[in-house]
Amino acid sequence: IAIRPGKVRTLKLTYKLFGLSGMLASKNFKRNRKKYRATVLSLFVSVVLFISASSFCSYLTKAAGDIVSDSGCDIAYRYYPDEYTALSPDEILKSLSEAAHVTQAAWKQDQQLPVYFDEKDISREYLDFWAEAGSEGLHRNSEGELAVYTQFYFIDDAAYADYLKAVGLSPAEYMDSEHPVAVASDFFRSYQSDTGKYVTFHLFSNTPATGTSITPEAPEGYSFNAWYEDEYGNYVFRYYKETNGEFEYVEQTESLCKTTTVSIGAIAHELPFFLGATEFNGLVLLYPASAKDAVLGPELAAHMNESYGTSFLFTADDHKAAAAEISEALKGMGLNPSYVSDYAESAAQQRTFLVIITVFSYGFIILISLIAMANVFNTISTNIQLRKREFAMLKSTGMTPKGFRVMMYYECLLYGAKGLLYGLPVSVAITWWIYKSVAYGWDTSFYIPWYSLVIAIASVFLVVGSTMMYSMQKIKKDNVVDALKNDNA
């Protein structure tokens, strides 16, 4: 065999650590790389398949879990007041909460209004979002403050006090009806139809923050009707007056309205059951119902009581039985039970969907892993069988069983190191490609499932080592003379 000495030169450290057996293994590896190429390629493919499959499944399950929202409550009922029902929300809640399977109950009312904040309190993600969506979404007042569409939620005092205690906030501070301080939820998740993806971010960069809201003030003799944004980005408030069955409407811009200071004391990191994962694409402020007049003004608060519905939210230990009991109680009060929604049933269907995705994901990973292990096992064991004559020659020249084992274990180390050296960078590159593909429909940051890297590294050496031990046991009792005579070995 003609070969240059430099081609099989080994490090002195190899000889010191593994002796002559390790040096022989290293020289064999360098002398005939084609013999080992199939094994290294097999390990490379196995590592890439496993890590890529794990990354794909990780992004898939995380995206599905983030997009599927949690309603928070088990059952909801929407109540719309009319001239035939004069029941207050507290009276309805008291009656419905007596259902045997109801564990928690609350009611809430909501109103949407723009609130202005200083730009320094707004996160860069929010500004970038509107910069991509269109600058018309960033409306400013005369002071240069940014307008944020805000949903005001007013919760019945008892349920709101329980929530404040649960998250460690003082009811005395946050339930002052004269000087109300809000608890905010500033987490945004919105599906953008133009880009076909979900985006998630937080509104505030600095908290607590203070803003300014517009409080409608109707001209004398008129009542508040609605507000909207005109083609120039100005907020317009409409009022009406009824005379002899005919309605007369007037409108005024925000500059003619009163302004009210909005103080935010804390960010709600744990959402209460009566709010859940809101789908409203904007800021949510939580207040006790007793602070409604101070926050919105008496006129708008009265209009909301008369014209808007009230939501009743419940948790239950048996949502189906509780929904039936609530429906019966509503019939007894002369109210329509068709507005009862069993969110727990919908959540169960969504969880089933997630379970199916998870089972598919892990089943796919297990299948890929078994194929990779079988591929590595077959390649290495076949390679060992083809080297019987080489091993017999080494034994015939005096290599001890211990030295033979050291040589084979060092070869395992070389196989694993080479396979990982090529496999890990390619796997990371494919994971990046998977992330870029998923990011078209779901706003997320790049990450590598590190557990898959650890499993891949450990599995490579475990599979290679166990396969080598199995193959060595099979050739252990081979006759040296017969192996040397065998030209096919």
Side-chain angles (χ1 to χ4, degrees):
I1 300 175
I3 191 169
R4 294 191 305 274
K7 187 177 180 181
V8 294
R9 182 174 297 153
T10 58
L11 297 174
K12 293 181 179 180
L13 181 62
T14 302
Y15 183 80
K16 289 183 178 180
L17 293 177
F18 299 97
L20 177 64
S21 300
M23 186 182 71
L24 283 175
S26 179
K27 288 183 179 293
N28 283 335
F29 195 90
K30 293 182 177 183
R31 176 175 59 84
N32 192 356
R33 296 180 185 271
K34 292 182 180 180
K35 185 184 298 183
Y36 302 94
R37 191 169 295 165
T39 303
V40 173
L41 180 61
S42 178
L43 288 169
F44 162 77
V45 171
S46 301
V47 169
V48 171
L49 282 176
F50 177 77
I51 296 178
S52 300
S54 298
S55 300
F56 174 76
C57 294
S58 177
Y59 279 101
L60 178 66
T61 53
K62 193 171 187 299
D66 284 353
I67 292 172
V68 174
S69 63
D70 179 14
S71 60
C73 64
D74 295 325
I75 302 165
Y77 166 66
R78 187 72 172 176
Y79 166 67
Y80 296 92
D82 57 46
E83 58 182 328
Y84 302 106
T85 56
L87 298 172
S88 70
D90 287 326
E91 291 173 324
I92 297 175
L93 183 67
K94 183 178 183 300
S95 179
L96 297 182
S97 60
E98 293 175 352
H101 294 280
V102 170
T103 55
Q104 289 178 292
W107 63 262
K108 68 181 179 183
Q109 294 175 338
D110 59 277
Q111 171 68 54
Q112 184 184 3
L113 286 173
V115 178
Y116 292 94
F117 293 95
D118 194 309
E119 187 172 340
K120 66 179 177 59
D121 294 327
I122 305 299
S123 68
R124 174 50 53 188
E125 291 83 2
Y126 179 84
L127 299 175
D128 292 342
F129 167 76
W130 281 113
E132 294 180 6
S135 58
E136 64 274 6
L138 291 177
H139 177 65
R140 299 176 184 268
N141 61 9
S142 57
E143 285 76 26
E145 297 175 318
L146 292 174
V148 177
Y149 288 104
T150 304
Q151 200 80 359
F152 292 79
Y153 279 104
F154 298 92
I155 318 300
D156 76 272
D157 286 25
Y160 191 63
D162 291 340
Y163 168 68
L164 292 175
K165 294 174 183 176
V167 296
L169 298 176
S170 170
E173 179 182 356
Y174 287 88
M175 297 187 68
D176 185 348
S177 59
E178 298 298 327
H179 304 90
V181 178
V183 177
S185 173
D186 70 336
F187 180 76
F188 281 59
R189 180 171 67 229
S190 175
Y191 178 76
Q192 303 301 304
S193 58
D194 54 339
T195 60
K197 66 186 293 186
Y198 283 87
V199 293
T200 58
F201 51 88
H202 288 270
L203 168 68
F204 291 118
S205 60
N206 297 313
T207 51
T210 300
T212 304
S213 69
I214 304 170
T215 304
E217 189 172 26
E220 185 177 353
Y222 286 81
S223 299
F224 176 77
N225 174 250
W227 69 274
Y228 64 92
E229 188 175 355
D230 66 14
E231 58 182 320
Y232 304 105
N234 299 312
Y235 296 120
V236 179
F237 295 83
R238 179 184 296 160
Y239 307 90
Y240 74 95
K241 178 174 66 174
E242 183 181 1
T243 306
N244 298 326
E246 295 185 358
F247 290 91
E248 177 185 352
Y249 294 92
V250 296
E251 295 180 345
Q252 65 182 24
T253 60
E254 58 187 278
S255 60
L256 301 176
C257 298
K258 291 195 306 181
T259 58
T260 304
T261 299
V262 174
S263 298
I264 298 174
I267 298 296
H269 299 291
E270 298 179 16
L271 295 179
F273 78 92
F274 48 75
L275 184 61
T278 177
E279 293 298 325
F280 175 72
N281 185 26
L283 176 64
V284 173
L285 300 181
L286 301 179
Y287 290 98
S290 57
K292 191 169 18 177
D293 287 357
V295 175
L296 301 179
E299 182 178 314
L300 184 55
H303 171 76
M304 187 169 65
N305 287 336
E306 296 171 359
S307 305
Y308 295 175
T310 301
S311 296
F312 295 84
L313 300 312
F314 308 90
T315 59
D317 51 22
D318 185 341
H319 62 90
K320 291 184 178 180
E325 293 168 356
I326 290 172
S327 297
E328 289 299 320
L330 290 171
K331 292 178 182 178
M333 290 185 285
L335 300 176
N336 187 357
S338 62
Y339 295 114
V340 175
S341 301
D342 190 345
Y343 287 149
E345 185 66 26
S346 301
Q349 296 175 358
Q350 292 177 347
R351 284 193 295 269
T352 301
F353 169 70
L354 291 178
V355 168
I356 292 173
I357 290 181
T358 303
V359 170
F360 165 77
S361 301
Y362 284 103
F364 183 65
I365 292 174
I366 291 172
L367 179 62
I368 289 294
S369 302
L370 292 175
I371 294 174
M373 290 171 62
N375 183 39
V376 171
F377 179 86
N378 182 63
T379 304
I380 294 178
S381 59
T382 303
N383 187 29
I384 296 297
Q385 292 296 319
L386 293 174
R387 296 171 62 192
K388 284 184 178 181
R389 194 177 186 190
E390 175 189 335
F391 296 150
M393 182 273 296
L394 291 173
K395 292 178 181 179
S396 69
T397 56
M399 178 173 280
T400 64
K402 179 181 178 182
F404 182 71
R405 287 195 301 272
V406 171
M407 183 184 74
M408 299 308 294
Y409 291 151
Y410 187 70
E411 284 193 14
C412 289
L413 185 63
L414 290 175
Y415 287 147
K418 285 285 185 178
L420 292 171
L421 180 64
Y422 300 132
L424 292 180
V426 173
S427 299
V428 172
I430 293 178
T431 300
W432 171 260
W433 176 76
I434 291 172
Y435 154 72
K436 295 297 290 184
S437 300
V438 172
Y440 281 111
W442 171 53
D443 186 49
T444 186
S445 57
F446 173 72
Y447 70 92
I448 299 174
W450 296 107
Y451 65 88
S452 64
L453 296 183
V454 174
I455 294 174
I457 294 171
S459 298
V460 162
F461 292 107
L462 180 63
V463 172
V464 171
S466 58
T467 305
M468 194 72 76
M469 291 178 63
Y470 169 78
S471 302
M472 287 168 59
Q473 286 295 325
K474 290 190 66 175
I475 66 173
K476 184 177 182 180
K477 297 181 180 180
D478 287 352
N479 186 278
V480 174
V481 176
D482 291 340
L484 287 171
K485 289 180 180 180
N486 187 4
D487 292 333
N488 296 323

